[in-house]
Amino acid sequence: MPRYNPAEIEPKWQRYWEENGTFRTPEMPSGDKLYVLDMFPYPSGEGLHVGHPEGYTATDIVARFQRKRGKTVLHPIGFDAFGLPAEEHAIRTNTPPRESTEKNIATFRRQLKMLGFSYDWDRELATTDVAYVRWTQWIFLVLFDTWFDLSQQKGRPIAELPIPDDVVAEGDRAIRIYQDEHRLAYQADALVNWCPALGTVLANEEVVDGRSEVGGHPVQRLPLRQWMLRITAYADRLESELEDLDWSSGIKKLQKDWIGRSTGAEVDFFVGPRDQFQEWSNRRKQTGLPRKPNYDVLRVYTIRPDTLFGATYMVIAPEHPLVQRLTTPEQTLAVQAYCTAAANKSDRERTELVKKKTGVFTGSYAINPVSGKPIPIWIADYVLISYGTGAIMAVPAHDTRDFEFAQQFGLPIVPVVDPGPQREGADRQQVLDGNSCFAGEGTAIHSGPYDGLATSQFKQKIAEQLDAVGMGRAAVNYKLRDWLFSRQRFWGEPFPILHELDDQGNPNGLLRAVVPEQLPVNLPHLDDYKPHGRPEPPLMKAPESWLYPTLDGRRYMRETNTMPQWAGSCWYYLRFIDPKNDACFVDPKKEAAWMPVDLYVGGAEHAVLHLLYARFWHKVLYDRGHVSTKEPFHRLVNQGMILGEVEYTGYQTEDGQWISAQLVRRDVDGNPIARQTGKPVTEVKLGTDQATKRGDSVVLVDNAEIRVDSRAHKMSKSRGNVVNPDAIVQDYGADSLRLYEMFMGPLEATKPWSMSGVNGVRSFLDRVWRLIINPRDDEMILNEAIQDIEPTEEQLRVVHRTIEAVTHDLDHLEFNTAIARMMEFVNYFTKQSVRPRKAMESLLVMLAPFAPHICEELWQILGHDRSLAYEDWPVFDEALTRDETVVVPVQVGKKVRARIKVPADCEREQLEAIARAEPTIAALLESKEILKVIVVPGRMVNFVVK
RNA sequence: GCCAGAGUGGCGGAAUUGGCAGACGCGCUGGAUUCAAAAUCCAGUGUCCUUAAGGACGUGUGGGUUCGAGUCCCACCUCUGGUACCA
């Protein structure tokens, strides 16, 4: 079989690598190490998607490239296997989720092996492995055993938490509760989506418009006891320590914005009887600002304390603890109605109606601490209880939200910042008249002694002043919230926590951690997975023997919440370093040798949460001395999405007439309608022969008046444009799939799939094959052009230039251009009737990271008896990459008028002289005055003439 | 709204510091081979004008800097992704 047949050689080499342990990684690196990591997949029932191999091929190329350069490479893979779909499948079919999970993992494993990735399969793991869950639980216990020392900005053992004297005086129980309140893992009530009809708690993504995604049943918001992780304690470090990471600025910014650090001030507004304000403020001068606000004040957070004089009213969130206290009898009914309505709204409902602000007056007033004037206190749901203090001072002249609200309810608008005369965009007079809102910086007006100050100076001064009189202080806030870390689900890691029971068998509020030696806490056997119809977690159905253990003669109830899917993915990169260790989550010596991850590649959808959570866990482990690096992932790259093939879509009205695409728009549900009539139109999928490009638009071939849409869509089952890697491997081979995914364009770009593109790289591999094998022979023999002779000078130059370019491109993850250079190499040598063996071998070593199977096969046919996986990467001689002569363009005016052939190292003066001597140039220069001559040696000559 | 990224041939995309725009691939056209086709090989292929030689134009739009701009600056348009009142 002299023809290139991937179906035969790919399984052959996959077997070879497996049998010879080619990619088995040593326990410890020798020489330089490189840790190349993929974001491990969730093994869905759908199997691998063409999006997966994009990142996986990129990292595989890097791994194979660097092995040839002598690095010890750690390149593992595993499975993020807990998750909702498996549990849903279990409920439907009453089979344990572990069964379907293992089946799906088997499919993924087969598909990954079929693509020839050089993973060390001995290190494979799944987050659902009992031996893995054990250490996930162990890390949870570390979090449970840690408190955050603000002054040291560091997590420390709970035993070192200083206990205040008054707590000590209260006794042991009080001390334990005090400790529990300070742990990084703590309990709190949080709202869940309880669906009575389904009898289960739903995840946010399972709720659409306040109803269950499945069945459309109503969903209630219900407070439930939950586990929280105190990620907010690490907010500052999570932000500042991004600095040294080699991540794209976009991802860093995304994380920064998510953390959302802001600086401003907390200010107390007196809400007691008006005639007691003076007395109160005098008292504050003595006592200073209390740590927690008393009931006679409303504490607000603002990033613009400089606009304090413009605060004309206040707003508190409907959930604010002072709502009742501040509501006057006349307003009680209205306030109650408003707060109830707000409570029943889902988060999304609250934000969907952004256009119109709603609110209700409490009847009470607060005193503006700087002006002494009373201002009304309102309740409105545009103020969120979860941010800042849940209360704001409203400055309608300088905050768009407050401005909208003030207009809605006729509240006064007092400008206190002059945008200044040069400020464009903001109509100054409109702002000064209180008719327009200006949120920028400027100069203070109507602000008493502060008039004339610039915003930034004002901010600083007023913070000092408020502090001095005990009415406020500088403050920092974050958008980041603590991490809701429990789920009311079966298919997740159980918490290694026991609740102490009293004599009546009820939890008494005291907790006990399972000792590490007794981990893992395994999931119990359930007879069925159907919801039990109560909001409590499904593990409440567990057998008594599991649910109620007895320790030291005391009865406990196990924690029945389970951990979210994020848990397992927060530390898998550490376990890969030492996956079989049953004494420790990772051997510290190995950890120090392999960490950090040098290159981490995955989808942008994990840019915020997964990376933030993993970094948080890593920092806690670092503080507690379990890992050696502050950050886990040194370099991060997000691969772009792969879209389906480009599609042409035309539109027809109800009567079957074509309608031009620019006359079609989408309604709120995304359905196409005619722009003019608002009537629905039909999408018609067109073949490539039905549409053509006319100018800047694509039109029907039959009617150029009718424009059609031309674009690539996200791959989706419903659209039917999903490309299945199995089919590509069957029709073209794994090497072609790998090569095509890399040749499509830059790794980070979004790119449309194209079958003819796959065909194109396949014919490149066919050409590579014929370059070395004689296709006309029946036997597998070398092409007669392959000879054991030294390359000619020209051939040598092609070889060295290719090495230079491919090496450079791989160092920069520019795979598409590296492939283009190797194509040029092949095009050149295909035309050569003599092809020196050495040159061919260089090509195979360079191409092998991209298309490993065909290269191994050809390498073997060239007479080698060992895999080329560790063959040295070819080096180039710079002298051999340069031409002796170069062609340099000569411009007169703005036009290229001649090209001259000169020695590559031609000096400036000589180059100009040769250019002047060129007949066409000389003729052109004769009648002109030369103003300037620009000479760039090796590049160009330009005569600037009049 | 806001934030980020991107607009280059018929298509995917190339283009070190500003220095020959369109590498490489797809598609298309012509030729060789073939009884024919597929496959393969060779040549051509930005647009327009011209019989030709040659010329003009050309990197979303408009301006600017420069001897020189796809690349730098300003304004705008379009698309893609993300986000949702965070005081």
Side-chain angles (χ1 to χ4, degrees), chain A residues 647-667:
Chain A
E647 293 172 28
Y648 296 108
T649 310
Y651 298 93
Q652 282 182 340
T653 54
E654 283 164 318
D655 53 356
Q657 295 292 306
W658 289 109
I659 174 169
S660 201
Q662 82 272 22
L663 301 176
V664 173
R665 66 178 180 88
R666 302 271 159 179
D667 66 10

Side-chain angles (χ1 to χ4, degrees), chain A residues 75 120 429-430 463 488 491 589 672 726:
Chain A
H75 185 40
D120 178 357
Q429 198 53 51
Q430 286 288 96
Q488 293 69 51
W491 192 226
K589 276 204 293 292
D726 281 322

Side-chain angles (χ1 to χ4, degrees), chain A residues 669-853:
Chain A
D669 299 322
N671 298 314
I673 56 172
R675 204 173 274 279
Q676 294 206 316
T677 61
K679 286 187 181 156
V681 296
T682 328
E683 288 186 24
V684 182
K685 208 167 158 178
L686 304 170
T688 39
D689 51 342
Q690 287 174 275
T692 185
K693 186 139 183 184
R694 179 71 53 92
D696 283 338
S697 44
V698 182
V699 298
L700 282 181
V701 169
D702 297 338
N703 182 354
E705 297 300 304
I706 302 295
R707 286 201 206 169
V708 301
D709 278 339
S710 154
R711 59 168 291 204
H713 300 265
K714 255 188 217 178
M715 288 190 192
S716 72
K717 245 188 184 172
S718 58
R719 196 169 264 281
N721 60 351
V722 176
V723 177
N724 178 354
D726 281 322
I728 304 296
V729 170
Q730 198 181 353
D731 295 348
Y732 299 92
D735 282 339
S736 290
L737 175 62
R738 294 169 58 114
L739 205 56
Y740 175 64
E741 295 222 6
M742 294 299 100
F743 189 58
M744 290 171 86
L747 180 61
E748 297 184 70
T750 303
K751 312 161 277 265
W753 186 266
S754 152
M755 270 314 169
S756 51
V758 185
N759 203 40
V761 294
R762 169 62 196 260
S763 44
F764 164 65
L765 290 180
D766 280 321
R767 282 161 70 80
V768 171
W769 185 264
R770 288 195 302 270
L771 195 64
I772 293 168
I773 304 294
N774 189 338
R776 285 178 297 278
D777 266 301
D778 293 334
E779 301 290 311
M780 187 85 89
I781 58 167
L782 285 183
N783 195 307
E784 60 273 14
I786 307 290
Q787 293 177 24
D788 272 313
I789 57 170
E790 287 301 310
T792 65
E793 211 173 302
E794 189 185 67
Q795 289 175 337
L796 211 55
R797 195 150 45 232
V798 172
V799 171
H800 282 255
R801 276 187 181 164
T802 307
I803 298 169
E804 181 187 30
V806 173
T807 308
H808 170 272
D809 290 350
L810 283 186
D811 277 331
H812 294 85
L813 305 183
E814 290 162 6
F815 306 107
N816 53 333
T817 48
I819 294 166
R821 300 314 290 262
M822 290 188 282
M823 286 174 167
E824 287 180 293
F825 180 104
V826 171
N827 290 345
Y828 171 81
F829 274 100
T830 295
K831 293 191 174 79
Q832 300 286 305
S833 52
V834 175
R835 303 170 196 155
R837 177 185 290 264
K838 262 193 210 159
M840 298 304 104
E841 293 187 345
S842 301
L843 172 71
L844 291 181
V845 174
M846 283 189 283
L847 183 60
F850 297 80
H853 309 89

Side-chain angles (χ1 to χ4, degrees), chain A residues 553-621:
Chain A
R554 191 180 260 289
R555 263 188 108 216
Y556 293 90
M557 188 184 84
R558 282 194 197 278
E559 173 61 56
T560 51
N561 282 295
T562 50
M563 298 187 201
Q565 200 184 351
W566 303 110
S569 59
C570 270
W571 72 284
Y572 73 112
Y573 59 92
L574 289 168
R575 190 61 180 174
F576 278 140
I577 290 169
D578 197 10
K580 305 269 193 304
N581 196 330
D582 60 4
C584 185
F585 82 116
V586 56
D587 181 330
K589 276 204 293 292
K590 293 181 191 169
E591 186 278 334
W594 286 108
M595 284 298 287
V597 174
D598 297 282
L599 175 65
Y600 193 25
V601 176
E605 65 272 23
H606 299 298
V608 177
L609 293 180
H610 160 61
L611 290 170
L612 205 61
Y613 292 157
R615 292 177 61 221
F616 164 51
W617 278 35
H618 195 87
K619 287 183 189 303
V620 176
L621 291 171

Side-chain angles (χ1 to χ4, degrees), chain A residues 793 797 801 881-888 900-906 938:
Chain A
E793 211 173 302
R797 195 150 45 232
R801 276 187 181 164
T881 62
R882 283 197 292 264
D883 265 321
E884 280 167 19
T885 60
V886 289
V887 175
V888 171
I900 52 175
K901 200 170 179 184
V902 296
D905 55 356
C906 186

